[in-house]
Amino acid sequence: MNSGIDLQGTFIQSLSDLGISAELAKVLWMPFPMLLMIIGATVGVLVNVWLERKISAAVQQRIGPEFAGPLGVLQPVADGLKLVFKEDITPANADPYLFTIGPILVVMPVFISYLIVPFGQNLVITNVNTGVFLWIAFSSVVPIGLLMSGYASNNKYSLIGGLRAAAQSISYEIPLALSVLAIVLMSNSLSTIDIVEQQSGYGILSWNVWRQPVGFVIFWISALAECERLPFDLPEAEEELVAGYQTEYSGMKFALFYIASYVNLVLSALLVAILYLGGWSSPIPIEVLSNLIGVDPATSWVQVVDASLGIGMTVLKAYFLVFLAIITRWTVPRVRIDQLLNLGWKFLLPIALANLLITAALKLAFPTAFGG
Amino acid sequence: MLKFLKQVIDYGKETAQAAKYIGQGLAVTFDHMQRRPVTVQYPYEKLIPSERFRGRIHFEFDKCISCEVCVRVCPINLPVVDYEFDKASKKKKLNSYSIDFGVCIFCGNCVEYCPTNCLSMTEEYELSTFDRHELNYDSVALGRLPTKVTDDPMVTALRTMAYLPKGVMSPRDLPAGAQRANSNE
Amino acid sequence: MQIAEGVQLVTFGILSVLMLGAALGVVLFANIVYSAFLLGGVFISMAGIYILLNADFVSAAQILVYVGAVNVLILFAIMLVNKREDFKPLKNNWIRQGTTALVCAGLFTLLSTVSLVTPWAISTTTIPLASSIVPLAKHFFTDFLLPFELASILLLMSMVGAIILARRDFLPDSVGTSTPDSLTLPERPRELVGK
Ligand code: SF4
Ligand code: SF4
């Protein structure tokens, strides 16, 4: 397994050659991946919003945004600008501090979770060895923000929306964590890099979907529920709760909720791609391809192609899942709150537990196929 | 125990059924994605209203005999007929006539019952204003004729479904003189 | 190691100030909702200090369990029981407050003496831990097995208690159990096992 391109190493090396101490060079390097990630996540959201509007339109035999830029690609930018310039209203009887902190608390953990999303062998901000666990931990902070904004709005719809959101994320976190645990059992590591590496041996055949089909479905359902996507969008069910915890928000604070929900969707899709669909590895391994055309996989241009292919693959897989989520949105009607909790506690949780136990048993029985 | 097992099996069956139906639903949604959009690009394209379209009411001042039949048949007694009795000619003389389209439900009763046919329904439907009182049309405003969609140079007029030739689904790029399906000619 | 140490020191300072401030806020705020939210702040700052101590797994677990579950449940409880009640100022309130202050001061002196007396083995060399998960698990299943299992039994007990509380039926059986068909939701009746 070659290590691929090491941008950080090269950067530090070149700065050290200029006479700057290695430590300072590392400090100088740090902001780049972070900025890149924030920009990447934001652009991901813009693409996502555009896709959502276009695909929704196509499903309903409409055209969708058309005049803002070619095919309406600038529409999300226009939306964002509109939200920035809107008046920022704080209701008279709302709690101004909590009202402001709430949306920030919702956005922050989601963006921080991008720390652990790898786009290639070395294309990750930090390869922390708690990896996916860190993501689960951070996503559990979000309901506090929702509760806070629901409470601070001083509006019964907001409060009910916030409470529902918190109940929903708490109940779906458990099956989510259990299905991640099954993956971790197989790859012996919480690190996302190791998880992808472990499924990159035989191209598409070694992806975790084939070994964890049940886990895949559970993870996807729970991820949709965590993102409050349509079959599970009760916290903001228009017909009952106006807009749930966002009812009283406007302008930039509302935009924060909006961004958070879409960033969360992209993040969940990326994580499904990483955990179950082989992350950055392409369906046919790049080594096989390069050997096929008779090039040494260690040549520099193959490495560049490999790296860009890795990014492309990750993004492609993630957006395929986003597409699935959008189609699901227009197919499945919203569930009721009791059905939602029933599904979480009485269906997904036992199945996720059984899946975990079976995975452990299979790992003991066939160590070669299930986590070597 | 057996009862419990049966419950488990039933539950499993229900789950499989639900998954099947969700799959079918996804297939339908996916199929819809490939169909052509039916969008009418509104301010640039407009549908031609049908013959019996009940739009804003047109009123001819000179034909009106101030009989107030329209007021009586209107479900909400809406038209305001302001007349005075002219002693010399022993006839009613109409001063002004108005209908408030913010209140009118476009049922067409007044048009139906007017003895002199001085009321008629036009094909105008763009009645948005900044103030609802602007919708209270007096006899002058009621006497204006709307621009026909087909005559408006800014607008591409599109035929609605029922007026298209047989088998044609899109109203755009019709051959000139295409007759609608089931027309008598 | 100049920059790293400086960063560590500054972070430690910020985190401790945050933690102490938030903890004081928890105690001193009259509004119980503020206290609950600040409790989350305390937990998060503690997680930050765990990270400074190279215990990444523990800090993630701290966030997941304490912020994500415990604190959310506390908030839940507070918001569901949203009873507006004007509390009458108690007579002789100072006795209670004085007792509380006394107990807290006693606890504080006890803990500080313990921390001062204990001969901490502070290692000055930093040990780059590959992963703290494996040693943690080893400890859990060898020398800390008994506390670990006891903790799980405690959790089991609280879970059983919660289920018993939740299953309690408040509806009297005698009064009008038959609702007219028009008022019920069109749903298939589900039969429970053993009923
Ligand atoms: S029914 Fe016709 S003629 Fe009679 S008052 Fe009304 S508009 Fe005039
Ligand atoms: S259309 Fe109907 S509602 Fe309107 S004025 Fe005529 S009778 Fe009255």
Side-chain angles (χ1 to χ4, degrees):
Chain A
M1 180 61 33
N2 61 56
S3 63
I5 300 171
D6 185 4
L7 282 179
Q8 182 184 6
T10 329
F11 181 86
I12 292 173
Q13 186 63 44
S14 57
L15 274 193
S16 315
D17 291 346
L18 285 175
I20 296 170
S21 76
E23 205 169 84
L24 195 66
K26 194 161 187 192
V27 173
L28 283 178
W29 163 258
M30 270 183 203
F32 287 109
M34 297 181 195
L35 262 182
L36 202 68
M37 218 33 153
I38 289 179
I39 293 171
T42 316
V43 171
V45 169
L46 294 183
V47 173
N48 198 348
V49 171
W50 178 76
L51 270 183
E52 169 108 56
R53 297 182 70 153
K54 266 311 208 199
I55 294 174
S56 307
V59 163
Q60 298 167 348
Q61 296 181 43
R62 294 183 285 113
I63 296 177
E66 200 188 4
F67 294 108
L71 286 176
V73 282
L74 294 180
Q75 191 63 44
V77 182
D79 284 357
L81 273 181
K82 180 199 76 174
L83 284 173
V84 169
F85 286 116
K86 267 201 166 176
E87 186 187 355
D88 185 16
I89 302 168
T90 309
N93 280 332
D95 190 316
Y97 304 110
L98 294 187
F99 193 74
T100 316
I101 301 173
I104 298 174
L105 262 188
V106 174
V107 166
M108 290 272 280
V110 185
F111 270 94
I112 294 177
S113 304
Y114 268 81
L115 275 179
I116 56 138
V117 177
F119 290 91
Q121 184 67 41
N122 283 311
L123 293 171
V124 58
I125 296 186
T126 48
N127 180 13
V128 277
N129 43 33
T130 36
V132 263
F133 188 63
L134 198 67
W135 169 61
I136 294 174
F138 275 127
S139 65
S140 74
V141 177
V142 174
I144 289 208
L146 299 180
L147 274 176
M148 194 183 272
S149 44
Y151 172 80
S153 299
N154 199 5
N155 174 335
K156 48 183 171 286
Y157 296 125
S158 303
L159 186 60
I160 294 175
L163 286 177
R164 275 190 185 181
Q168 183 171 330
S169 5
I170 289 184
S171 358
Y172 279 81
E173 207 129 83
I174 300 164
L176 192 84
L178 285 178
S179 51
V180 169
L181 211 57
I183 293 281
V184 170
L185 262 188
M186 292 191 342
S187 61
N188 290 325
S189 166
L190 283 167
S191 154
T192 40
I193 302 261
D194 292 350
I195 288 173
V196 176
E197 211 120 82
Q198 184 257 341
Q199 33 178 330
S200 62
Y202 307 98
I204 192 166
L205 290 177
S206 60
W207 289 358
N208 273 338
V209 226
W210 312 122
R211 287 182 283 185
Q212 285 284 334
V214 181
F216 174 68
V217 174
I218 294 172
F219 188 91
W220 184 233
I221 294 177
S222 320
L224 281 183
E226 289 269 303
C227 299
E228 287 147 25
R229 288 290 304 185
L230 197 75
F232 309 108
D233 73 336
L234 295 136
E236 39 197 274
E238 298 92 346
E239 293 83 2
E240 321 163 24
L241 295 181
V242 190
Y245 50 85
Q246 333 174 331
T247 307
E248 299 286 353
Y249 282 88
S250 67
M252 208 48 218
K253 286 180 197 151
F254 172 76
L256 286 184
F257 281 123
Y258 195 74
I259 290 175
S261 76
Y262 278 104
V263 173
N264 212 350
L265 178 62
V266 178
L267 183 71
S268 304
L270 277 170
L271 275 160
V272 174
I274 286 157
L275 294 180
Y276 293 97
L277 300 178
W280 68 78
S281 58
S282 61
I284 304 161
I286 194 92
E287 284 86 14
V288 174
L289 276 182
S290 58
N291 284 336
L292 209 65
I293 54 171
V295 192
D296 183 23
T299 8
S300 57
W301 69 267
V302 176
Q303 297 243 320
V304 171
V305 169
D306 190 7
S308 36
L309 200 70
I311 299 175
M313 271 298 152
T314 319
V315 172
L316 210 70
K317 286 167 187 169
Y319 274 103
F320 169 70
L321 289 161
V322 168
F323 172 75
L324 214 64
I326 297 173
I327 293 266
T328 314
R329 170 177 185 175
W330 297 111
T331 305
V332 190
R334 179 184 302 135
V335 294
R336 237 170 27 216
I337 184 82
D338 59 324
Q339 292 170 334
L340 174 100
L341 294 178
N342 265 348
L343 180 71
W345 288 104
K346 295 192 188 162
F347 182 71
L348 292 182
L349 182 61
I351 288 190
L353 268 176
N355 182 43
L356 183 64
L357 287 181
I358 290 171
T359 312
L362 283 175
K363 182 176 157 126
L364 287 182
F366 312 101
T368 41
F370 289 87
Chain B
M1 190 62 204
L2 261 176
K3 204 177 163 195
F4 177 69
L5 265 185
K6 188 176 170 300
Q7 269 188 340
V8 170
I9 291 171
D10 283 352
Y11 196 59
K13 273 186 193 155
E14 268 178 47
T15 313
Q17 207 180 25
K20 192 180 116 198
Y21 287 148
I22 290 178
Q24 282 178 354
L26 280 174
V28 171
T29 320
F30 194 76
D31 181 59
H32 270 262
M33 264 186 58
Q34 290 145 347
R35 303 192 185 175
R36 299 194 61 183
V38 291
T39 312
V40 173
Q41 297 282 10
Y42 167 63
Y44 312 109
E45 294 175 341
K46 286 179 189 171
L47 289 176
I48 305 171
S50 63
E51 296 138 353
R52 298 190 195 170
F53 190 82
R54 297 204 291 228
R56 196 258 295 164
I57 290 165
H58 177 259
F59 170 73
E60 276 176 74
F61 192 88
D62 298 337
K63 274 196 194 168
C64 179
I65 53 171
S66 312
C67 64
E68 285 195 305
V69 164
C70 52
V71 186
R72 247 172 287 149
V73 296
C74 177
I76 41 187
N77 299 348
L78 184 57
V80 178
V81 189
D82 173 26
Y83 63 86
E84 55 194 333
F85 192 69
D86 186 15
K87 286 232 169 75
S89 59
K90 291 194 178 162
K91 270 181 184 158
K92 291 174 189 166
K93 183 172 160 294
L94 186 61
N95 288 336
S96 67
Y97 185 93
S98 65
I99 295 177
D100 188 348
F101 289 109
V103 189
C104 173
I105 57 169
F106 300 96
C107 63
N109 275 356
C110 51
V111 177
E112 193 81 4
Y113 283 97
C114 175
T116 59
N117 275 344
C118 64
L119 292 172
S120 55
M121 304 216 92
T122 66
E123 55 185 48
E124 183 182 348
Y125 50 85
E126 290 151 326
L127 287 169
S128 48
T129 53
F130 286 108
D131 180 2
R132 66 193 163 93
H133 299 298
E134 284 172 33
L135 286 172
N136 194 355
Y137 280 37
D138 66 352
S139 40
V140 181
L142 282 170
R144 285 196 196 106
L145 276 174
T147 330
K148 281 210 291 191
V149 179
T150 34
D151 292 344
D152 196 336
M154 301 277 286
V155 171
T156 316
L158 296 180
R159 297 195 202 173
T160 44
M161 245 352 182
Y163 291 83
L164 293 176
K166 201 175 177 197
V168 179
M169 296 301 281
S170 163
R172 295 179 187 82
D173 308 321
L174 283 180
Q179 293 290 331
R180 71 151 140 161
N182 301 328
S183 69
N184 290 326
E185 291 140 74
Chain C
M1 272 297 147
Q2 280 303 310
I3 298 174
E5 267 171 17
V7 168
Q8 211 165 357
L9 200 68
V10 171
T11 324
F12 177 73
I14 295 175
L15 282 175
S16 355
V17 168
L18 262 182
M19 186 161 81
L20 289 178
L24 279 179
V26 173
V27 183
L28 296 180
F29 261 119
N31 189 340
I32 190 169
V33 177
Y34 283 164
S35 300
F37 280 127
L38 280 177
L39 194 62
V42 176
F43 289 145
I44 288 182
S45 340
M46 271 164 79
I49 286 181
Y50 284 144
I51 289 183
L52 282 184
L53 293 172
N54 273 345
D56 50 355
F57 185 81
V58 180
S59 95
Q62 163 92 5
I63 293 181
L64 178 65
V65 175
Y66 282 96
V67 183
V70 173
N71 201 23
V72 168
L73 287 181
I74 289 175
L75 281 169
F76 230 89
I78 291 174
M79 286 180 183
L80 281 181
V81 192
N82 194 11
K83 214 172 174 184
R84 287 279 152 91
E85 202 176 323
D86 290 325
F87 293 105
K88 275 194 222 94
L90 278 171
K91 256 188 289 171
N92 294 337
N93 197 19
W94 61 271
I95 299 182
R96 293 157 187 255
Q97 282 175 349
T99 327
T100 319
L102 214 69
V103 170
C104 288
L107 257 180
F108 184 73
T109 34
L110 188 67
L111 287 175
S112 41
T113 29
V114 164
S115 67
L116 286 177
V117 165
T118 314
W120 300 102
I122 302 170
S123 62
T124 40
T125 51
T126 46
I127 318 140
L129 269 180
S131 163
S132 58
I133 304 169
V134 178
L136 262 180
K138 271 193 185 132
H139 279 304
F140 268 146
F141 284 101
T142 51
D143 41 352
F144 285 106
L145 187 59
L146 188 65
F148 182 61
E149 293 299 328
L150 277 182
S152 44
I153 287 175
L154 192 73
L155 285 180
L156 187 69
M157 266 153 47
S158 58
M159 195 162 86
V160 170
I163 291 174
I164 287 174
L165 278 183
R167 281 186 70 97
R168 205 160 33 157
D169 271 338
F170 285 109
L171 292 173
D173 303 308
S174 53
V175 193
T177 36
S178 61
T179 29
D181 272 355
S182 56
L183 292 182
T184 52
L185 285 173
E187 259 185 308
R188 249 177 301 167
R190 283 182 195 275
E191 31 185 280
L192 285 167
V193 183
K195 255 204 179 178

